[in-house]
Coordinates of all heavy atoms in Angstrom, one line a residue:
M1 N 108.8 104.3 -26.1 CA 109.7 103.2 -25.7 C 110.0 103.4 -24.2 O 109.7 104.5 -23.7 CB 111.0 103.3 -26.5 CG 111.8 104.6 -26.5 SD 113.0 104.7 -25.2 CE 114.1 103.3 -25.7
K2 N 110.4 102.3 -23.6 CA 110.7 102.5 -22.2 C 112.2 102.1 -21.9 O 112.8 101.3 -22.7 CB 109.7 101.6 -21.4 CG 109.9 100.1 -21.6 CD 108.8 99.3 -20.8 CE 109.0 97.8 -21.2 NZ 107.8 97.1 -20.9
L3 N 112.6 102.5 -20.8 CA 113.9 102.3 -20.3 C 113.8 101.7 -18.9 O 113.1 102.2 -18.1 CB 114.7 103.6 -20.3 CG 116.1 103.7 -20.0 CD1 116.9 103.0 -21.1 CD2 116.6 105.2 -20.1
I4 N 114.5 100.6 -18.7 CA 114.4 100.0 -17.4 C 115.8 100.3 -16.7 O 116.8 99.8 -17.2 CB 114.3 98.4 -17.5 CG1 113.1 98.1 -18.5 CG2 114.1 97.8 -16.1 CD1 111.8 98.5 -18.0
V5 N 115.7 100.9 -15.5 CA 116.9 101.4 -14.8 C 116.9 100.9 -13.4 O 116.0 101.1 -12.6 CB 117.0 102.9 -14.9 CG1 118.3 103.3 -14.1 CG2 117.1 103.4 -16.3
T6 N 118.0 100.2 -13.1 CA 118.2 99.8 -11.7 C 119.1 100.8 -11.0 O 120.1 101.1 -11.5 CB 118.8 98.4 -11.6 OG1 118.0 97.4 -12.4 CG2 119.0 97.9 -10.2
D7 N 118.6 101.3 -9.9 CA 119.4 102.3 -9.1 C 120.4 101.6 -8.2 O 120.5 100.4 -8.2 CB 118.5 103.3 -8.4 CG 117.8 102.7 -7.3 OD1 118.2 101.7 -6.7 OD2 116.7 103.3 -6.8
R8 N 121.2 102.4 -7.5 CA 122.3 101.9 -6.7 C 121.8 101.2 -5.5 O 122.5 100.5 -4.7 CB 123.2 103.0 -6.3 CG 123.9 103.6 -7.5 CD 124.9 104.7 -7.2 NE 125.4 105.3 -8.4 CZ 124.9 106.5 -8.8 NH1 124.0 107.2 -8.1 NH2 125.3 107.0 -9.9
K9 N 120.5 101.2 -5.2 CA 119.9 100.5 -4.0 C 119.2 99.2 -4.5 O 118.6 98.4 -3.8 CB 119.0 101.3 -3.3 CG 119.6 102.5 -2.6 CD 118.6 103.4 -1.9 CE 119.3 104.5 -1.2 NZ 118.4 105.5 -0.7
G10 N 119.3 99.0 -5.8 CA 118.7 97.8 -6.4 C 117.2 98.0 -6.8 O 116.6 97.0 -7.2
A11 N 116.6 99.1 -6.6 CA 115.3 99.4 -7.1 C 115.2 99.5 -8.6 O 116.1 100.1 -9.2 CB 114.7 100.6 -6.4
V12 N 114.2 98.9 -9.2 CA 114.0 99.0 -10.6 C 113.0 100.0 -11.0 O 111.9 100.1 -10.4 CB 113.6 97.6 -11.1 CG1 113.4 97.6 -12.6 CG2 114.7 96.6 -10.8
H13 N 113.4 100.9 -12.0 CA 112.5 101.9 -12.4 C 112.2 101.8 -13.9 O 113.1 101.6 -14.7 CB 113.2 103.3 -12.2 CG 113.6 103.5 -10.8 ND1 112.9 104.2 -9.9 CD2 114.8 103.1 -10.2 CE1 113.6 104.3 -8.7 NE2 114.7 103.6 -8.9
E14 N 110.9 101.9 -14.2 CA 110.5 101.8 -15.6 C 110.3 103.2 -16.1 O 109.3 103.9 -15.6 CB 109.3 100.9 -15.8 CG 108.9 100.8 -17.3 CD 107.8 99.8 -17.5 OE1 107.8 98.7 -16.9 OE2 106.9 100.2 -18.2
L15 N 111.1 103.8 -16.9 CA 111.1 105.1 -17.4 C 110.6 105.2 -18.8 O 110.9 104.4 -19.6 CB 112.4 105.8 -17.3 CG 113.2 105.6 -16.0 CD1 114.5 106.3 -16.0 CD2 112.3 106.1 -14.8
K16 N 109.8 106.3 -19.1 CA 109.4 106.5 -20.4 C 110.5 107.1 -21.2 O 110.9 108.2 -20.9 CB 108.1 107.4 -20.4 CG 107.5 107.6 -21.8 CD 106.2 108.3 -21.7 CE 105.6 108.8 -23.0 NZ 105.9 108.0 -24.1
G17 N 110.9 106.5 -22.2 CA 112.0 107.0 -23.1 C 111.4 108.0 -24.1 O 110.2 107.9 -24.4
R18 N 112.3 108.9 -24.5 CA 111.8 109.9 -25.5 C 112.7 109.8 -26.7 O 114.0 109.8 -26.5 CB 111.9 111.3 -24.9 CG 111.0 111.5 -23.7 CD 111.1 112.9 -23.1 NE 110.4 113.0 -21.9 CZ 109.5 113.9 -21.6 NH1 109.3 114.9 -22.4 NH2 108.9 113.9 -20.4
D19 N 112.1 109.6 -27.8 CA 112.8 109.5 -29.0 C 113.9 110.6 -29.2 O 113.6 111.7 -29.0 CB 111.8 109.5 -30.2 CG 112.2 108.5 -31.3 OD1 113.0 107.6 -30.9 OD2 111.7 108.7 -32.4
D20 N 115.1 110.1 -29.5 CA 116.2 111.0 -29.7 C 116.7 111.7 -28.5 O 117.6 112.5 -28.6 CB 115.9 112.0 -30.8 CG 117.1 112.4 -31.6 OD1 118.0 111.5 -31.7 OD2 117.3 113.5 -31.9
W21 N 116.2 111.4 -27.3 CA 116.9 111.8 -26.1 C 118.0 110.8 -25.8 O 118.0 109.7 -26.3 CB 115.9 111.8 -24.9 CG 115.1 113.0 -24.8 CD1 114.6 113.8 -25.8 CD2 114.6 113.6 -23.6 NE1 113.8 114.8 -25.3 CE2 113.8 114.7 -23.9 CE3 114.8 113.3 -22.2 CZ2 113.2 115.5 -23.0 CZ3 114.1 114.1 -21.3 CH2 113.3 115.2 -21.7
S22 N 118.9 111.2 -25.0 CA 119.9 110.2 -24.5 C 119.4 109.5 -23.3 O 118.5 110.0 -22.6 CB 121.3 110.9 -24.2 OG 121.1 111.6 -23.0
A23 N 120.0 108.3 -23.0 CA 119.5 107.6 -21.8 C 119.8 108.5 -20.6 O 119.0 108.5 -19.6 CB 120.3 106.3 -21.7
M24 N 120.9 109.2 -20.6 CA 121.2 110.1 -19.5 C 120.1 111.1 -19.3 O 119.7 111.4 -18.1 CB 122.6 110.8 -19.7 CG 123.0 111.8 -18.7 SD 122.2 113.5 -18.9 CE 123.3 114.2 -20.2
E25 N 119.6 111.8 -20.3 CA 118.5 112.8 -20.2 C 117.3 112.2 -19.5 O 116.6 112.8 -18.7 CB 118.3 113.4 -21.5 CG 119.4 114.2 -22.1 CD 119.2 114.7 -23.5 OE1 119.0 113.8 -24.4 OE2 119.4 115.9 -23.8
V26 N 116.9 111.0 -20.0 CA 115.7 110.3 -19.4 C 116.0 110.0 -17.9 O 115.1 110.2 -17.1 CB 115.4 109.0 -20.2 CG1 114.3 108.3 -19.6 CG2 115.0 109.4 -21.7
I27 N 117.1 109.5 -17.6 CA 117.4 109.1 -16.2 C 117.4 110.4 -15.3 O 116.8 110.4 -14.2 CB 118.8 108.4 -16.1 CG1 118.7 107.0 -16.8 CG2 119.3 108.3 -14.7 CD1 120.0 106.3 -17.0
R28 N 118.0 111.4 -15.8 CA 118.0 112.7 -15.0 C 116.6 113.3 -14.9 O 116.2 113.8 -13.8 CB 119.0 113.7 -15.6 CG 120.4 113.3 -15.3 CD 121.4 114.4 -15.6 NE 121.2 115.6 -14.8 CZ 121.9 116.7 -15.0 NH1 122.7 116.8 -16.0 NH2 121.7 117.7 -14.2
D29 N 115.8 113.2 -16.0 CA 114.5 113.7 -16.0 C 113.6 113.0 -15.0 O 112.6 113.6 -14.5 CB 113.9 113.7 -17.4 CG 112.7 114.5 -17.6 OD1 112.7 115.7 -17.3 OD2 111.6 113.9 -18.0
A30 N 114.0 111.8 -14.7 CA 113.2 111.0 -13.7 C 113.7 111.2 -12.3 O 113.3 110.5 -11.3 CB 113.3 109.5 -14.1
N31 N 114.7 112.1 -12.1 CA 115.3 112.5 -10.8 C 116.0 111.3 -10.2 O 116.1 111.2 -8.9 CB 114.2 113.0 -9.9 CG 113.7 114.3 -10.3 OD1 114.5 115.2 -10.7 ND2 112.4 114.5 -10.3
L32 N 116.5 110.4 -11.0 CA 117.4 109.4 -10.4 C 118.8 110.0 -10.3 O 119.1 110.9 -11.0 CB 117.5 108.2 -11.3 CG 116.2 107.4 -11.5 CD1 116.3 106.2 -12.4 CD2 115.7 106.9 -10.1
P33 N 119.6 109.5 -9.3 CA 120.9 110.1 -9.0 C 121.9 109.8 -10.0 O 122.5 108.8 -10.1 CB 121.2 109.5 -7.6 CG 120.6 108.2 -7.6 CD 119.3 108.3 -8.4
M34 N 122.1 110.8 -10.9 CA 123.1 110.7 -11.9 C 123.7 112.1 -12.1 O 122.9 113.0 -12.5 CB 122.5 110.2 -13.3 CG 123.6 110.3 -14.4 SD 122.9 109.5 -15.9 CE 123.3 107.7 -15.4
A35 N 124.9 112.3 -11.8 CA 125.5 113.7 -11.8 C 125.5 114.3 -13.2 O 125.2 115.4 -13.4 CB 126.9 113.6 -11.2
A36 N 126.0 113.5 -14.2 CA 126.1 114.0 -15.5 C 126.7 115.4 -15.6 O 126.1 116.3 -16.2 CB 124.8 113.9 -16.2
E37 N 127.8 115.6 -14.9 CA 128.3 116.9 -14.7 C 128.6 117.7 -16.0 O 128.5 119.0 -16.0 CB 129.6 116.8 -13.9 CG 129.3 116.4 -12.4 CD 130.5 116.1 -11.6 OE1 131.6 116.2 -12.2 OE2 130.4 115.8 -10.4
C38 N 128.9 117.0 -17.1 CA 129.3 117.8 -18.3 C 128.1 118.0 -19.2 O 128.2 118.6 -20.2 CB 130.4 117.1 -19.0 SG 129.9 115.7 -19.9
G39 N 126.9 117.6 -18.8 CA 125.7 117.8 -19.5 C 125.6 117.0 -20.8 O 124.8 117.4 -21.7
G40 N 126.4 116.0 -20.9 CA 126.3 115.1 -22.1 C 127.3 115.3 -23.1 O 127.2 114.9 -24.3
A41 N 128.4 116.0 -22.8 CA 129.4 116.4 -23.7 C 130.5 115.3 -23.8 O 131.5 115.5 -24.4 CB 130.1 117.7 -23.3
C42 N 130.3 114.2 -23.1 CA 131.3 113.1 -23.1 C 132.6 113.5 -22.5 O 133.6 113.2 -23.0 CB 131.4 112.4 -24.5 SG 132.2 110.8 -24.5
A43 N 132.5 114.2 -21.4 CA 133.7 114.8 -20.8 C 133.8 114.7 -19.3 O 134.6 115.4 -18.6 CB 133.8 116.3 -21.2
C44 N 133.0 113.7 -18.7 CA 133.1 113.6 -17.3 C 133.0 112.2 -16.7 O 133.4 111.9 -15.6 CB 132.0 114.5 -16.6 SG 130.3 113.9 -16.8
A45 N 132.3 111.3 -17.4 CA 132.1 109.9 -17.0 C 131.2 109.8 -15.7 O 131.2 108.7 -15.1 CB 133.5 109.2 -16.8
T46 N 130.5 110.8 -15.4 CA 129.6 110.7 -14.2 C 128.2 110.3 -14.6 O 127.3 110.3 -13.9 CB 129.5 112.0 -13.5 OG1 129.0 113.1 -14.3 CG2 130.9 112.5 -12.8
C47 N 128.1 109.8 -15.8 CA 126.8 109.2 -16.3 C 127.0 107.7 -16.6 O 126.3 107.1 -17.4 CB 126.3 109.9 -17.6 SG 127.4 109.7 -19.0
H48 N 128.0 107.1 -15.9 CA 128.4 105.7 -16.1 C 127.3 104.7 -15.8 O 126.7 104.8 -14.7 CB 129.6 105.5 -15.2 CG 130.2 104.1 -15.3 ND1 131.1 103.7 -14.3 CD2 130.1 103.1 -16.2 CE1 131.5 102.5 -14.6 NE2 130.9 102.1 -15.7
V49 N 127.0 103.9 -16.7 CA 126.0 102.8 -16.4 C 126.5 101.4 -16.9 O 127.5 101.4 -17.7 CB 124.6 103.1 -17.2 CG1 124.0 104.3 -16.6 CG2 124.9 103.2 -18.7
Y50 N 125.9 100.4 -16.4 CA 126.2 99.1 -16.9 C 125.0 98.6 -17.8 O 123.8 98.8 -17.4 CB 126.3 98.1 -15.7 CG 127.4 98.4 -14.7 CD1 127.1 98.6 -13.4 CD2 128.7 98.6 -15.2 CE1 128.1 98.9 -12.5 CE2 129.7 98.9 -14.3 CZ 129.4 99.0 -13.0 OH 130.4 99.4 -12.1
V51 N 125.3 98.0 -18.9 CA 124.2 97.5 -19.8 C 124.0 96.1 -19.6 O 124.9 95.3 -19.5 CB 124.7 97.8 -21.3 CG1 123.7 97.3 -22.3 CG2 125.1 99.3 -21.5
A52 N 122.7 95.7 -19.5 CA 122.4 94.3 -19.2 C 122.9 93.5 -20.4 O 122.9 93.9 -21.6 CB 120.8 94.2 -19.1
E53 N 123.3 92.3 -20.1 CA 123.9 91.4 -21.1 C 123.1 91.3 -22.3 O 123.7 91.3 -23.5 CB 124.1 90.0 -20.4 CG 124.9 89.1 -21.3 CD 125.2 87.8 -20.6 OE1 124.9 87.6 -19.4 OE2 125.8 86.9 -21.3
A54 N 121.8 91.1 -22.3 CA 121.0 90.9 -23.4 C 121.0 92.1 -24.4 O 120.6 92.0 -25.6 CB 119.5 90.6 -23.0
W55 N 121.5 93.2 -23.9 CA 121.4 94.5 -24.7 C 122.8 94.9 -25.2 O 122.9 95.8 -26.0 CB 120.8 95.6 -23.9 CG 119.3 95.4 -23.7 CD1 118.7 94.8 -22.7 CD2 118.3 95.8 -24.7 NE1 117.3 94.8 -22.9 CE2 117.1 95.4 -24.1 CE3 118.4 96.5 -25.9 CZ2 115.9 95.7 -24.8 CZ3 117.2 96.7 -26.6 CH2 116.0 96.3 -26.0
Q56 N 123.8 94.2 -24.7 CA 125.2 94.7 -25.0 C 125.5 94.7 -26.5 O 126.1 95.6 -27.0 CB 126.2 93.8 -24.3 CG 126.2 94.1 -22.8 CD 127.2 93.2 -22.1 OE1 128.3 92.8 -22.6 NE2 126.9 92.8 -20.9
D57 N 125.0 93.7 -27.2 CA 125.3 93.7 -28.7 C 124.3 94.5 -29.5 O 124.5 94.6 -30.8 CB 125.4 92.3 -29.2 CG 126.5 91.5 -28.6 OD1 127.5 92.1 -28.2 OD2 126.4 90.2 -28.5
R58 N 123.3 95.0 -28.9 CA 122.3 95.8 -29.6 C 122.5 97.3 -29.6 O 121.8 98.0 -30.3 CB 120.9 95.4 -29.0 CG 120.6 93.9 -29.3 CD 119.4 93.4 -28.5 NE 118.2 94.0 -29.0 CZ 117.0 93.7 -28.5 NH1 116.9 92.8 -27.5 NH2 115.9 94.2 -29.0
L59 N 123.5 97.6 -28.8 CA 123.8 99.1 -28.8 C 124.8 99.4 -29.9 O 125.7 98.5 -30.1 CB 124.3 99.5 -27.4 CG 123.3 99.5 -26.2 CD1 124.1 100.0 -25.0 CD2 122.2 100.5 -26.5
P60 N 124.8 100.6 -30.4 CA 125.9 100.9 -31.3 C 127.2 100.9 -30.5 O 127.3 101.2 -29.4 CB 125.5 102.4 -31.8 CG 124.1 102.5 -31.5 CD 123.8 101.6 -30.3
Q61 N 128.3 100.6 -31.3 CA 129.6 100.6 -30.6 C 129.9 101.9 -30.0 O 129.6 103.0 -30.6 CB 130.7 100.3 -31.7 CG 130.7 98.9 -32.1 CD 131.6 98.0 -31.3 OE1 132.2 98.5 -30.3 NE2 131.9 96.8 -31.6
A62 N 130.6 101.9 -28.9 CA 131.1 103.2 -28.3 C 132.2 103.8 -29.2 O 133.0 103.2 -29.8 CB 131.7 102.9 -26.9
Q63 N 132.1 105.2 -29.4 CA 133.0 105.9 -30.1 C 134.3 106.0 -29.3 O 134.3 105.8 -28.0 CB 132.5 107.3 -30.5 CG 131.2 107.3 -31.3 CD 131.5 106.7 -32.7 OE1 132.4 107.2 -33.4 NE2 130.8 105.7 -33.1
Q64 N 135.4 106.3 -29.9 CA 136.7 106.4 -29.2 C 136.6 107.4 -28.0 O 137.2 107.1 -26.9 CB 137.9 106.7 -30.1 CG 139.2 106.6 -29.5 CD 139.5 105.1 -29.1 OE1 139.2 104.2 -29.8 NE2 140.0 105.0 -27.8
Q65 N 136.0 108.5 -28.2 CA 135.9 109.5 -27.1 C 135.3 108.9 -25.8 O 135.7 109.1 -24.7 CB 135.2 110.7 -27.5 CG 135.2 111.9 -26.5 CD 134.4 113.1 -27.0 OE1 133.9 113.1 -28.1 NE2 134.4 114.1 -26.2
E66 N 134.2 108.1 -26.1 CA 133.5 107.5 -24.9 C 134.4 106.4 -24.3 O 134.5 106.4 -23.1 CB 132.2 106.8 -25.4 CG 131.5 106.1 -24.3 CD 130.2 105.4 -24.7 OE1 129.8 105.5 -25.9 OE2 129.6 104.7 -23.9
V67 N 135.1 105.6 -25.1 CA 136.0 104.6 -24.5 C 137.1 105.3 -23.7 O 137.4 104.9 -22.6 CB 136.7 103.8 -25.7 CG1 137.8 102.9 -25.2 CG2 135.6 103.0 -26.4
D68 N 137.6 106.4 -24.2 CA 138.7 107.1 -23.5 C 138.2 107.7 -22.2 O 138.8 107.6 -21.1 CB 139.2 108.3 -24.3 CG 140.0 107.8 -25.5 OD1 140.4 106.6 -25.6 OD2 140.3 108.5 -26.5
M69 N 137.0 108.2 -22.2 CA 136.4 108.8 -21.0 C 136.1 107.8 -20.0 O 136.2 108.1 -18.7 CB 135.2 109.7 -21.4 CG 134.7 110.6 -20.3 SD 135.9 111.6 -19.5 CE 136.5 112.5 -21.0
L70 N 135.7 106.6 -20.4 CA 135.4 105.5 -19.4 C 136.7 105.2 -18.6 O 136.5 104.7 -17.5 CB 134.9 104.3 -20.1 CG 133.4 104.3 -20.4 CD1 133.0 103.2 -21.4 CD2 132.6 104.1 -19.1
D71 N 137.8 105.5 -19.1 CA 139.0 105.3 -18.3 C 139.0 106.1 -16.9 O 139.7 105.7 -16.0 CB 140.3 105.7 -19.0 CG 140.6 104.7 -20.1 OD1 140.1 103.5 -20.1 OD2 141.4 105.1 -21.0
F72 N 138.1 107.1 -16.9 CA 138.0 107.9 -15.7 C 136.9 107.5 -14.8 O 136.6 108.1 -13.8 CB 137.9 109.4 -16.1 CG 139.0 110.0 -16.8 CD1 139.1 110.1 -18.2 CD2 140.2 110.4 -16.1 CE1 140.2 110.6 -18.9 CE2 141.3 110.9 -16.7 CZ 141.3 111.0 -18.1
G73 N 136.1 106.4 -15.3 CA 135.0 106.0 -14.5 C 135.4 105.1 -13.3 O 136.6 104.7 -13.2
V74 N 134.5 104.9 -12.4 CA 134.7 104.1 -11.2 C 134.1 102.7 -11.5 O 133.0 102.6 -12.0 CB 134.1 104.7 -10.0 CG1 134.2 103.8 -8.7 CG2 134.7 106.0 -9.7
A75 N 134.9 101.6 -11.1 CA 134.3 100.3 -11.2 C 133.9 100.0 -12.6 O 132.8 99.4 -12.9 CB 133.2 100.0 -10.2
V76 N 134.7 100.3 -13.6 CA 134.4 100.1 -15.0 C 134.5 98.6 -15.3 O 135.3 97.8 -14.8 CB 135.4 100.8 -15.9 CG1 135.2 100.5 -17.4 CG2 135.2 102.3 -15.7
Q77 N 133.5 98.1 -16.1 CA 133.4 96.7 -16.5 C 133.3 96.6 -18.0 O 133.1 97.6 -18.7 CB 132.1 96.1 -15.9 CG 132.0 96.2 -14.4 CD 130.7 95.7 -13.8 OE1 129.9 95.2 -14.5 NE2 130.6 95.7 -12.5
D78 N 133.3 95.4 -18.5 CA 133.1 95.2 -19.9 C 131.8 95.8 -20.5 O 131.7 96.1 -21.6 CB 133.2 93.7 -20.3 CG 134.6 93.2 -20.1 OD1 135.5 94.0 -20.0 OD2 134.8 91.9 -20.1
N79 N 130.8 95.8 -19.6 CA 129.5 96.3 -20.1 C 129.2 97.7 -19.7 O 128.1 98.2 -19.6 CB 128.3 95.4 -19.5 CG 128.3 95.4 -18.0 OD1 129.3 95.7 -17.3 ND2 127.2 95.0 -17.4
S80 N 130.3 98.4 -19.4 CA 130.2 99.9 -19.0 C 129.9 100.7 -20.3 O 130.5 100.5 -21.3 CB 131.4 100.4 -18.3 OG 131.6 99.8 -17.0
R81 N 129.1 101.7 -20.1 CA 128.9 102.7 -21.1 C 128.6 104.0 -20.5 O 128.2 104.1 -19.3 CB 127.6 102.4 -22.1 CG 127.8 101.1 -22.9 CD 128.8 101.3 -24.0 NE 128.6 102.4 -24.9 CZ 128.0 102.2 -26.1 NH1 127.7 101.0 -26.5 NH2 127.9 103.2 -26.9
L82 N 128.6 105.1 -21.2 CA 128.2 106.4 -20.7 C 126.8 106.7 -21.3 O 126.6 106.6 -22.5 CB 129.2 107.5 -21.2 CG 130.6 107.4 -20.7 CD1 131.5 108.5 -21.3 CD2 130.7 107.4 -19.2
A83 N 125.9 106.9 -20.3 CA 124.5 107.0 -20.7 C 124.2 108.2 -21.6 O 123.3 108.2 -22.4 CB 123.6 107.2 -19.4
C84 N 125.1 109.2 -21.5 CA 124.8 110.4 -22.4 C 125.2 110.0 -23.9 O 124.8 110.8 -24.8 CB 125.7 111.6 -22.0 SG 127.4 111.4 -22.2
Q85 N 125.8 108.9 -24.1 CA 126.2 108.5 -25.5 C 125.3 107.5 -26.0 O 125.5 107.0 -27.1 CB 127.7 108.1 -25.5 CG 128.7 109.1 -25.0 CD 128.6 110.4 -25.8 OE1 128.7 110.4 -27.1 NE2 128.3 111.5 -25.2
I86 N 124.3 107.1 -25.3 CA 123.3 106.1 -25.7 C 122.1 106.9 -26.2 O 121.3 107.5 -25.4 CB 122.9 105.1 -24.6 CG1 124.1 104.4 -24.1 CG2 121.8 104.2 -25.1 CD1 123.8 103.5 -22.9
R87 N 121.9 107.0 -27.5 CA 120.8 107.8 -28.1 C 119.6 106.8 -28.2 O 119.7 105.7 -28.8 CB 121.2 108.3 -29.5 CG 120.3 109.2 -30.2 CD 120.1 110.5 -29.5 NE 121.3 111.2 -29.0 CZ 121.2 112.3 -28.2 NH1 120.0 112.8 -27.8 NH2 122.3 112.9 -27.8
L88 N 118.5 107.2 -27.7 CA 117.3 106.3 -27.6 C 116.6 106.3 -29.0 O 116.3 107.3 -29.5 CB 116.4 106.7 -26.5 CG 117.1 106.6 -25.1 CD1 116.1 107.1 -24.0 CD2 117.5 105.2 -24.8
T89 N 116.2 105.1 -29.4 CA 115.4 104.9 -30.6 C 114.4 103.8 -30.2 O 114.5 103.1 -29.2 CB 116.3 104.4 -31.7 OG1 116.8 103.1 -31.4 CG2 117.4 105.4 -32.1
D90 N 113.4 103.6 -31.1 CA 112.5 102.5 -30.9 C 113.1 101.1 -30.8 O 112.7 100.2 -30.1 CB 111.4 102.5 -32.0 CG 110.4 103.7 -31.8 OD1 110.3 104.2 -30.7 OD2 109.8 104.0 -32.8
D91 N 114.3 101.0 -31.5 CA 115.0 99.7 -31.4 C 115.5 99.3 -30.0 O 115.8 98.2 -29.8 CB 116.2 99.7 -32.3 CG 115.9 99.8 -33.8 OD1 114.7 99.6 -34.1 OD2 116.7 100.1 -34.6
L92 N 115.6 100.3 -29.2 CA 116.1 100.1 -27.9 C 115.0 100.1 -26.8 O 115.2 100.2 -25.6 CB 117.1 101.2 -27.5 CG 118.3 101.3 -28.4 CD1 119.3 102.4 -27.9 CD2 119.1 99.9 -28.4
D93 N 113.7 99.8 -27.3 CA 112.6 99.8 -26.4 C 112.8 98.6 -25.3 O 113.0 97.5 -25.7 CB 111.3 99.5 -27.2 CG 110.1 99.4 -26.2 OD1 110.1 100.0 -25.2 OD2 109.1 98.8 -26.6
G94 N 112.8 98.9 -24.1 CA 113.1 98.0 -23.0 C 114.5 97.8 -22.6 O 114.9 97.0 -21.8
L95 N 115.4 98.7 -23.1 CA 116.8 98.7 -22.7 C 116.9 98.7 -21.2 O 116.3 99.5 -20.5 CB 117.5 99.9 -23.3 CG 118.9 100.2 -22.9 CD1 119.8 99.0 -23.4 CD2 119.4 101.5 -23.5
E96 N 117.8 97.8 -20.7 CA 118.0 97.7 -19.2 C 119.4 98.2 -18.8 O 120.4 97.7 -19.4 CB 117.9 96.2 -18.8 CG 116.5 95.7 -19.1 CD 116.5 94.2 -18.8 OE1 116.8 93.8 -17.6 OE2 116.1 93.4 -19.7
L97 N 119.4 99.2 -18.0 CA 120.7 99.8 -17.5 C 120.7 99.7 -16.0 O 119.7 99.8 -15.3 CB 120.8 101.2 -18.0 CG 120.7 101.5 -19.5 CD1 120.7 103.0 -19.7 CD2 121.9 100.9 -20.2
T98 N 121.9 99.7 -15.5 CA 122.1 99.8 -14.0 C 123.1 101.0 -13.7 O 124.1 101.1 -14.4 CB 122.7 98.5 -13.4 OG1 121.8 97.4 -13.7 CG2 123.0 98.6 -11.9
L99 N 122.7 101.8 -12.8 CA 123.6 102.9 -12.5 C 124.9 102.4 -11.8 O 124.8 101.6 -10.8 CB 122.9 103.9 -11.5 CG 121.6 104.5 -11.9 CD1 121.1 105.5 -10.9 CD2 121.7 105.1 -13.3
A100 N 126.0 102.8 -12.3 CA 127.3 102.4 -11.7 C 127.6 103.2 -10.5 O 126.9 104.3 -10.2 CB 128.4 102.7 -12.8
P101 N 128.5 102.8 -9.6 CA 128.8 103.6 -8.4 C 129.2 105.0 -8.8 O 129.8 105.2 -9.9 CB 130.0 102.8 -7.8 CG 129.9 101.4 -8.4 CD 129.3 101.6 -9.7
E102 N 128.9 105.9 -7.9 CA 129.2 107.3 -8.1 C 130.8 107.5 -8.2 O 131.5 106.9 -7.4 CB 128.6 108.2 -7.1 CG 127.2 108.4 -7.2 CD 126.6 109.4 -6.2 OE1 126.6 109.0 -5.0 OE2 126.2 110.5 -6.6
S103 N 131.2 108.4 -9.0 CA 132.6 108.8 -9.0 C 132.9 109.6 -7.8 O 132.0 110.2 -7.2 CB 133.0 109.5 -10.3 OG 132.2 110.7 -10.4
L104 N 134.2 109.7 -7.4 CA 134.6 110.4 -6.2 C 134.7 111.9 -6.5 O 134.9 112.2 -7.6 CB 135.9 109.8 -5.7 CG 135.8 108.3 -5.3 CD1 137.2 107.8 -4.9 CD2 134.8 108.1 -4.2
Ligands
FES201 S1 127.3 113.4 -18.9 FE1 129.4 113.8 -18.9 S2 130.2 112.0 -19.9 FE2 128.1 111.7 -19.9

């Protein structure tokens, strides 16, 4: 499966997704700028991404811990998610994400 990621400069990257990896792991493995300071423990909000409109209803609902952690994100929008909480599966082939502004 592939993951389409737009970076903060507007460049689009097509990344090879790995089954059962998180979107955060794939993005970091591609050396795109994502702090992901807590390593995927849903405890930092530095893996904040925006989900393309066409994909918003196709992702599993955010768990309460993710919703709570997004309160600490920068420039949070309705389509905000934490990339470490998006588990990749074949159903998400072509998922489009945009890196949110970096937290301070
Ligand atoms: S990596 Fe820390 S919340 Fe996602």
